[in-house]
Amino acid sequence: MYLNKLKLLFVTSLLLIMAACSSNSTAGDSQKENKGTTKQSKQQANKVVFSPNIYFAFDKSIIEPSQAAVLDKQVEKIKKEGIKKITIEGHTDSIGTTAYNIALGERRANATKKYLVQKGVDSNIIKIVSYGKSKPIESNDTSAGRAKNRRTVTLFK
Amino acid sequence: MNNITKIIKLIVGVWLLGSSYLYGVNIEVDVLNENYTPVSILIVNFYTTDKTNQYFQKIKNIISQDLEESGAIEPRFTDSNVINNYTDFSENEDLKDLISEYSRYSSITLGKITYNENTQLYNITIVIFDSLGNINRKFGYKLSKRDLEDSYSNIAHDIANEIYHTTIDLPGYFLSSLVYAAGNKLMMADYNGKNPEVLVKTKERVMSPIISPDGNSILYVDFFKGESTIYIYDLYFKKSTQLATFQGLSLAPVFSANGQDILFSIANKGVTHIFRLNLDEKKLQKLTSGYSINLAGNESVDGKYLVYNSDKSGKPEIYLFNNKVKTSTLVSYGEGTYFTPSFSPMGNIILFTKIINRQFVIGLLNLGHQEKLVAKDQAVESPSWLPDGRHIIYQYAYKQQKGEAQYGFFIMDLMSGYKIQIQPTKDVRDPQISKEALYMKKINTKYSF
């Protein structure tokens, strides 16, 4: 009898501990989620990244027809939503030196800008920056990874 | 010496860089000579009997390390009581006998240390003899105990410079300073990476530091949120000033040979061109044109030519710009793409980075149209010359994780292929070594006799 009571007490305690842990975990996750959402909302208020990126051939800055179609959608969004501030970031893969890749990134960002302007976007609202090879999104060890890094990113504010 | 160097040695063998059509000067650099042996020299005495001996031991160790790590000289140290009895090195027969005893060495350096009770000064005298007993160089330092404590390291590097210069006939670099970028910091250290200090801290990233020919200032690029701006840091006043405001991204600055102009590139509207900015008149002159990326290397020592990197032919190559007639000549000819060209301090050799099949290599181009690759480590980049024109320093990547690389530097002797690894701080890039000692390393206790 005494043993049964002890068993019951043990099981009850265990359940209570588990419930508490579960509750803490949920609260923690919820807090994290809230923090994340707040951060994201702030980010969204400041900038929105338009996806997908525009990709380029090695050492090139020509907008390929497949990429032009992606840019056409960007133009549509810019006009539809009346976007007033655009930043275009140029990026490269790791082949080439730092300064050369910053220049190449600028050239790609400029080619992207030129296309948007040709399609009727006001050139005065577009700012060009270049990160060169300093911000890869994929490993530069593979040709697929390098292809992903040769890109421009358009940010709307 | 690592395997890569050995392999390169086997491939290239002995490469003689011939005469220059630019200057009409014959400069021969025996690049990566498989049979090269360092010059043996002897350094006699370097101790004192009192408690300051610890500093003299340190001086001896620094001299030894400097010379050995140059790959050019193999120093041996010995002590001799005979030397301590003499003040006039040239007249004594015993001394001449001693030197003839060591005639197998290319040079013999005698170091003598005395202490004057009246003046309370230490007197270090150094005499460098050739193997025949002729005096090549005599100099000394008069130091208080405080001077000795504060500057023993600089004195040691200075003595090493003198021995190197006398033995090899090239300027020493042991008292020069290393300037480099480390993440968001502009850094300075001894030539071998020791004693690093932060000169400037920026918000995001520092790039391309270059020391002015007079050693008074450093140009660098401050990179922040995808935009780059050129600053000039004054080493005396420890203050940075923005060079000027330009539309576009300012990149790759260098000083002209006379230090009066700054050559740099502006990337704007899809093209990157080289400009010359006169520091006094603030006059800006555009040097390149067309739909291309152009980045300045440096000017030849006489200021007649600018070597630069351009992709105007369809791929990055090396060009020479004649400052007088304003025309460019393509000088690279091999496969692959060429970057970061720079003239050697003496004249007719161009150091460059090359990429062949995604592999970064460092090479030398003789203006008589010969090319030799000298370093093939992982992702080598940003090579530059040491003041002797025989050594280079470059950046290499030693570890890659998710596309992120960690970097270190190598100083390499082009004749022997001997390399020393330098890792002054984390995330180091774009190394540059000053032409001579910067003002804070000038030694005012030195004298000739």
Side-chain angles (χ1 to χ4, degrees):
Chain A
M1 183 68 180
Y2 179 68
L3 197 66
N4 281 344
K5 270 187 184 173
L6 262 181
K7 270 184 188 171
L8 186 68
L9 190 67
F10 177 72
V11 170
T12 315
S13 308
L14 199 66
L15 283 170
L16 279 170
I17 290 166
M18 282 172 70
C21 283
S22 160
S23 156
N24 280 345
S25 149
T26 312
D29 284 353
S30 166
Q31 272 176 0
K32 271 184 202 167
E33 207 171 278
N34 283 341
K35 271 186 188 171
T37 315
T38 314
K39 200 177 169 186
Q40 206 175 351
S41 311
K42 274 184 188 169
Q43 276 179 345
Q44 276 173 353
N46 289 330
K47 82 174 72 152
V48 176
V49 179
F50 192 87
S51 179
N53 301 325
I54 305 301
Y55 298 106
F56 296 84
F58 174 69
D59 204 23
K60 298 283 183 245
S61 55
I62 296 161
I63 308 282
E64 302 286 345
S66 62
Q67 301 305 300
V70 180
L71 280 178
D72 288 340
K73 284 183 184 168
Q74 287 191 14
V75 173
E76 207 179 301
K77 182 184 170 74
I78 293 161
K79 286 180 178 171
K80 195 175 155 189
E81 296 180 14
I83 287 163
K84 295 279 181 251
K85 256 186 173 178
I86 300 166
T87 301
I88 303 172
E89 294 177 353
H91 299 269
T92 68
D93 63 23
S94 63
I95 312 297
T97 53
T98 305
Y100 182 83
N101 278 328
I102 289 175
L104 180 59
E106 193 277 341
R107 187 190 264 179
R108 283 175 180 161
N110 190 69
T112 307
K113 175 184 174 177
K114 236 175 174 175
Y115 187 92
L116 297 181
V117 172
Q118 275 170 4
K119 296 284 176 174
V121 177
D122 180 2
S123 71
N124 295 318
I125 67 167
I126 304 174
K127 185 184 168 187
I128 298 288
V129 296
S130 172
Y131 286 93
K133 60 178 175 178
S134 68
K135 286 196 170 181
I137 49 170
E138 294 286 337
S139 165
N140 277 304
D141 295 339
T142 64
S143 82
R146 287 193 294 277
K148 292 269 183 194
N149 293 332
R150 297 191 293 262
R151 69 199 192 278
T152 56
V153 178
T154 309
L155 306 170
F156 302 116
K157 282 188 180 176
Chain B
M1 221 167 291
N2 67 19
N3 287 335
I4 295 166
T5 308
K6 281 180 186 166
I7 291 164
I8 295 171
K9 275 182 163 190
L10 283 171
I11 295 167
V12 301
V14 178
W15 181 52
L16 293 174
L17 290 170
S19 60
S20 159
Y21 71 74
L22 266 181
Y23 309 107
V25 176
N26 276 320
I27 301 169
E28 284 193 351
V29 175
D30 193 355
V31 178
L32 298 179
N33 182 351
E34 199 176 344
N35 301 314
Y36 181 83
T37 48
V39 178
S40 284
I41 64 157
L42 186 72
I43 300 175
V44 186
N45 278 22
F46 229 91
Y47 69 93
T48 180
T49 47
D50 76 3
K51 59 186 175 185
T52 52
N53 192 40
Q54 56 163 320
Y55 290 109
F56 294 114
Q57 285 303 320
K58 286 179 181 174
I59 288 174
K60 191 172 154 181
N61 292 342
I62 292 169
I63 295 170
S64 175
Q65 192 175 13
D66 282 351
L67 297 175
E68 271 177 26
E69 290 189 346
S70 73
I73 293 175
E74 197 174 13
R76 291 275 179 276
F77 284 83
T78 187
D79 292 333
S80 168
N81 289 328
V82 178
I83 310 298
N84 277 341
N85 299 326
Y86 303 106
T87 48
D88 186 349
F89 291 102
S90 58
E91 294 301 320
N92 193 278
E93 288 304 317
D94 290 340
L95 191 63
K96 284 180 181 170
D97 288 346
L98 179 83
I99 289 165
S100 64
E101 187 187 328
Y102 294 121
S103 61
R104 65 184 179 279
Y105 293 100
S106 296
S107 76
I108 297 118
T109 300
L110 304 185
K112 185 175 163 66
I113 299 149
T114 53
Y115 181 68
N116 186 323
E117 292 284 351
N118 296 327
T119 58
Q120 295 191 325
L121 290 175
Y122 287 92
N123 188 14
I124 305 176
T125 49
I126 307 285
V127 181
I128 306 172
F129 295 87
D130 65 19
S131 57
L132 299 173
N134 303 311
I135 293 178
N136 275 340
R137 185 89 177 92
K138 291 193 289 185
F139 59 97
Y141 308 87
K142 277 193 175 137
L143 307 154
S144 66
K145 194 179 172 191
R146 180 67 191 271
D147 289 335
L148 185 63
E149 285 166 1
D150 290 347
S151 60
Y152 73 87
S153 168
N154 289 346
I155 285 167
H157 290 309
D158 191 53
I159 296 170
N161 271 352
E162 293 279 8
I163 296 172
Y164 186 84
H165 188 202
T166 309
T167 310
I168 305 290
D169 203 21
L170 291 172
Y173 53 87
F174 309 114
L175 207 50
S176 295
S177 292
L178 166 67
V179 171
Y180 61 98
N184 66 336
K185 297 182 200 85
L186 173 64
M187 303 288 298
M188 187 162 73
D190 294 347
Y191 85 96
N192 54 9
K194 289 181 179 163
N195 303 314
E197 62 170 306
V198 179
L199 299 180
V200 177
K201 206 170 174 181
T202 65
K203 287 179 183 168
E204 191 177 321
R205 209 167 129 207
V206 167
M207 298 190 311
S208 317
I210 297 277
I211 305 165
S212 61
D214 62 9
N216 293 334
S217 52
I218 300 168
L219 279 172
Y220 67 94
V221 174
D222 181 350
F223 188 85
F224 180 60
K225 289 190 172 176
E227 294 183 275
S228 57
T229 314
I230 297 171
Y231 283 83
I232 187 160
Y233 177 78
D234 190 305
L235 278 159
Y236 282 98
F237 296 107
K238 300 183 186 304
K239 194 184 161 190
S240 288
T241 316
Q242 189 176 335
L243 188 61
T245 307
F246 307 105
Q247 200 175 4
L249 308 174
S250 306
L251 296 165
V254 285
F255 284 95
S256 62
N258 61 13
Q260 289 169 1
D261 301 337
I262 288 172
L263 295 142
F264 68 103
S265 293
I266 300 176
N268 189 32
K269 297 182 178 173
V271 290
T272 302
H273 288 302
I274 300 171
F275 291 80
R276 179 187 293 273
L277 178 73
N278 183 276
L279 284 171
D280 292 331
E281 298 167 9
K282 300 285 176 200
K283 196 179 146 194
L284 192 66
Q285 186 190 358
K286 190 179 170 198
L287 303 184
T288 52
S289 60
Y291 186 74
S292 51
I293 293 173
N294 302 278
L295 297 160
N298 66 352
E299 277 189 336
S300 54
V301 72
D302 59 6
K304 286 182 180 171
Y305 296 89
L306 165 71
V307 63
Y308 70 101
N309 168 221
S310 176
D311 68 346
K312 60 185 163 188
S313 69
K315 73 178 177 88
E317 297 273 12
I318 299 172
Y319 292 83
L320 275 190
F321 181 81
N322 185 319
N323 283 327
K324 196 175 176 186
V325 293
K326 316 282 180 210
T327 54
S328 288
T329 314
L330 173 68
V331 290
S332 54
Y333 61 89
E335 59 171 331
T337 50
Y338 293 81
F339 302 93
T340 64
S342 67
F343 273 115
S344 62
M346 282 78 169
N348 66 337
I349 305 169
I350 294 169
L351 177 66
F352 60 81
T353 307
K354 181 174 183 167
I355 301 173
I356 314 169
N357 300 324
R358 300 194 301 277
Q359 172 84 52
F360 285 65
V361 290
I362 286 170
L364 299 172
L365 179 68
N366 168 14
L367 289 173
H369 298 296
Q370 279 178 296
E371 177 183 306
K372 280 290 171 266
L373 305 181
V374 293
K376 202 181 171 185
D377 299 287
Q378 172 82 349
V380 290
E381 206 180 316
S382 305
S384 60
W385 292 95
L386 267 63
D388 64 351
R390 169 175 167 154
H391 289 80
I392 57 169
I393 184 168
Y394 59 92
Q395 159 193 317
Y396 72 99
Y398 63 90
K399 189 182 171 186
Q400 282 192 314
Q401 284 177 335
K402 294 178 186 173
E404 291 285 329
Q406 296 295 314
Y407 295 93
F409 302 143
F410 276 123
I411 291 180
M412 181 186 194
D413 177 18
L414 291 172
M415 283 181 80
S416 65
Y418 184 81
K419 290 191 293 187
I420 59 163
Q421 197 174 354
I422 295 174
Q423 186 70 55
T425 50
K426 281 184 180 176
D427 195 23
V428 295
R429 290 163 202 249
D430 302 343
Q432 282 281 329
I433 286 186
S434 65
K435 196 176 157 191
E436 50 195 41
L438 301 181
Y439 82 91
M440 68 291 278
K441 288 193 171 188
K442 298 273 188 204
I443 296 167
N444 53 18
T445 53
K446 191 173 181 180
Y447 67 93
S448 293
F449 63 93

